Amino acid sequence: MENIRYELLPEIAKLGHVALETTDLEKSLWFFEEVVGLEKTTTKDGVHYLRAWGDFEHHTLSIQEGPVARVHHIAWKAKRREDVRNFAVLLRKADVEVQEVKAGTEAGQGDAIRFQLPSGHNFEIYFDMEKPPAADPKRKSVLKNQTYKAWRKGISPRRIDHVNIGTNTDPAVLLDFLQEKLGFKMREYLKTPDDKVGAAWLSVTNLVHDIAVMAQPELPTSHEIHHLSYWSDNAQDILRAADILAENGITFTGPGKHGISQAMYLYVIDPGSGVRLELFSNGYLIFEPDWEPVEWKAEEMAVGFTFWGEQAGLSEQDRKTIPAGEPLKSAKKV
């Protein structure tokens, strides 16, 4: 029998965290801790590290004050420790500038790498991350498979879910990079009248999307973020979230149901940074290894974006984004 030789390509396991910079730290912490109900793991060097009650890793959101509101980076957990190094090798061979991040630079995190997408979005890949228990017994769940008590305060989503990034350039190069260099799989996409991909939903997990990419010429830069998303268990949780936001005098879009992803949604903007948060539930999972991406046409997007409920994307607030990167540092684009 002929010997079979193969090498494992580096892989991403899941979305890890979003590093947010805000111009009003007090408002952002009030929003994410008290209204949304995220739990604070620790504060180090002016950075506040938060996670949802069902998140196991040290943090899924970090917040610090900065001169401008932006997402400093979006982080992804590798499947294996050696994948961090192997991704660095793969990216450098593709002429992508890779920055090594030493363990401890972010609280709770081991060695990592940072780099830019062809659009200028800043990504990070890590493997090692502490999974600390709840330090305060009053916050700790009695369940051994759950970090914190659910519903302790605020909206109380279970876990981080996905990010949605935007670009004002042709997204083809960006989408190729995500698939060919980072291993994302196309799940659903929008085909524009000129036969280009105008939006795409991709994942490395069984979720419909761990990341979405929107191409919008009117965006201020090529490296924007439309929203980050946290997951709740069911549709009633989203309705409860709407009540809590209304009680706090915060306006929002939704609730509604997407056609793409089939998920319940509600959009709300952090009053400190201006970043949009999507509260997300239901939807479907993909287990088929031979999944064929679902194509949507422009004339179908009234259903694709909003199957029912308040139509998102109509108001100026719905279209607002903040930067999630910077002009490319690499010598040339991929």
Side-chain angles (χ1 to χ4, degrees):
M1 182 177 178
E2 182 181 353
N3 291 330
I4 299 175
R5 299 184 63 186
Y6 65 94
E7 294 182 3
L8 288 175
L9 290 172
E11 295 179 89
I12 291 173
K14 64 166 190 168
L15 174 63
H17 58 269
V18 173
L20 177 65
E21 294 182 359
T22 177
T23 53
D24 193 325
L25 183 62
E26 183 178 357
K27 280 186 179 179
S28 289
L29 290 177
W30 169 78
F31 175 73
F32 281 106
E33 289 189 76
E34 302 305 321
V35 179
V36 180
L38 300 186
E39 299 281 358
K40 182 176 289 184
T41 309
T42 190
T43 302
K44 179 184 176 184
D45 299 328
V47 184
H48 300 256
Y49 294 91
L50 311 176
R51 55 181 172 171
W53 59 262
D55 286 324
F56 296 102
E57 292 200 318
H58 184 274
H59 58 280
T60 52
L61 178 68
S62 67
I63 306 176
Q64 64 180 324
E65 195 154 30
V68 297
R70 68 171 189 146
V71 166
H72 182 272
H73 64 267
I74 298 167
W76 304 86
K77 186 181 179 76
K79 277 198 173 181
R80 297 166 288 269
R81 183 173 289 107
E82 60 268 25
D83 283 349
V84 177
R85 180 186 66 252
N86 291 339
F87 266 121
V89 172
L90 183 153
L91 291 166
R92 283 172 175 146
K93 285 182 177 178
D95 292 323
V96 177
E97 182 178 323
V98 176
Q99 174 191 0
E100 295 184 2
V101 181
K102 296 299 182 184
T105 302
E106 286 184 66
Q109 182 173 287
D111 290 337
I113 60 170
R114 290 181 189 162
F115 58 94
Q116 291 183 300
L117 303 186
S119 54
H121 290 90
N122 293 330
F123 270 20
E124 178 178 81
I125 297 178
Y126 69 94
F127 177 77
D128 291 301
M129 177 73 80
E130 294 175 8
K131 297 178 181 178
D136 184 350
K138 294 179 180 179
R139 297 159 64 200
K140 183 180 180 180
S141 173
V142 297
L143 293 172
K144 299 177 76 172
N145 56 5
Q146 182 174 307
T147 308
Y148 299 97
K149 294 176 181 177
W151 311 114
R152 196 177 73 86
K153 61 176 179 176
I155 293 166
S156 194
R158 178 184 283 267
R159 59 168 175 80
I160 196 169
D161 192 83
H162 67 267
V163 291
N164 181 307
I165 63 175
T167 184
N168 60 13
T169 63
D170 184 347
V173 175
L174 172 55
L175 293 172
D176 287 345
F177 186 97
L178 288 171
Q179 294 173 89
E180 295 172 8
K181 300 296 187 293
L182 302 182
F184 284 87
K185 299 179 179 67
M186 183 78 75
R187 301 307 196 180
E188 304 194 45
Y189 65 95
L190 165 64
K191 183 65 74 70
T192 62
D194 57 356
D195 205 37
K196 294 181 179 180
V197 175
W201 291 258
L202 309 94
S203 68
V204 289
T205 66
N206 298 116
L207 299 178
V208 179
H209 65 313
D210 298 300
I211 188 170
V213 177
M214 303 291 167
Q216 297 174 296
E218 69 275 12
L219 291 177
T221 75
S222 62
H223 40 266
E224 298 288 303
I225 183 167
H226 184 269
H227 65 260
L228 64 113
S229 175
Y230 275 83
W231 167 270
S232 293
D233 286 345
N234 56 58
Q236 183 59 42
D237 295 339
I238 305 302
L239 300 181
R240 177 178 174 274
D243 283 348
I244 291 172
L245 292 171
E247 287 281 8
N248 282 279
I250 300 174
T251 60
F252 53 88
T253 299
K257 180 177 180 178
H258 292 307
I260 294 170
S261 81
Q262 299 183 28
M264 282 276 292
Y265 69 85
L266 182 155
Y267 293 113
V268 58
I269 290 179
D270 163 31
S273 68
V275 75
R276 183 178 291 97
L277 172 69
E278 182 180 31
L279 299 167
F280 201 72
S281 187
N282 296 351
Y284 70 97
L285 300 174
I286 297 173
F287 296 99
E288 288 76 7
D290 56 348
W291 177 263
E292 292 293 332
V294 176
E295 178 182 307
W296 293 80
K297 300 185 185 307
E299 60 268 22
E300 299 172 318
M301 291 314 290
V303 171
F305 281 136
T306 306
F307 183 41
W308 55 259
E310 182 180 354
Q311 281 287 349
L314 299 181
S315 70
E316 183 177 346
Q317 176 170 291
D318 292 343
R319 295 189 293 272
K320 183 178 179 182
T321 61
I322 66 171
E326 53 211 327
L328 282 173
K329 300 174 185 176
S330 301
K332 67 176 184 178
K333 295 182 180 180
V334 176

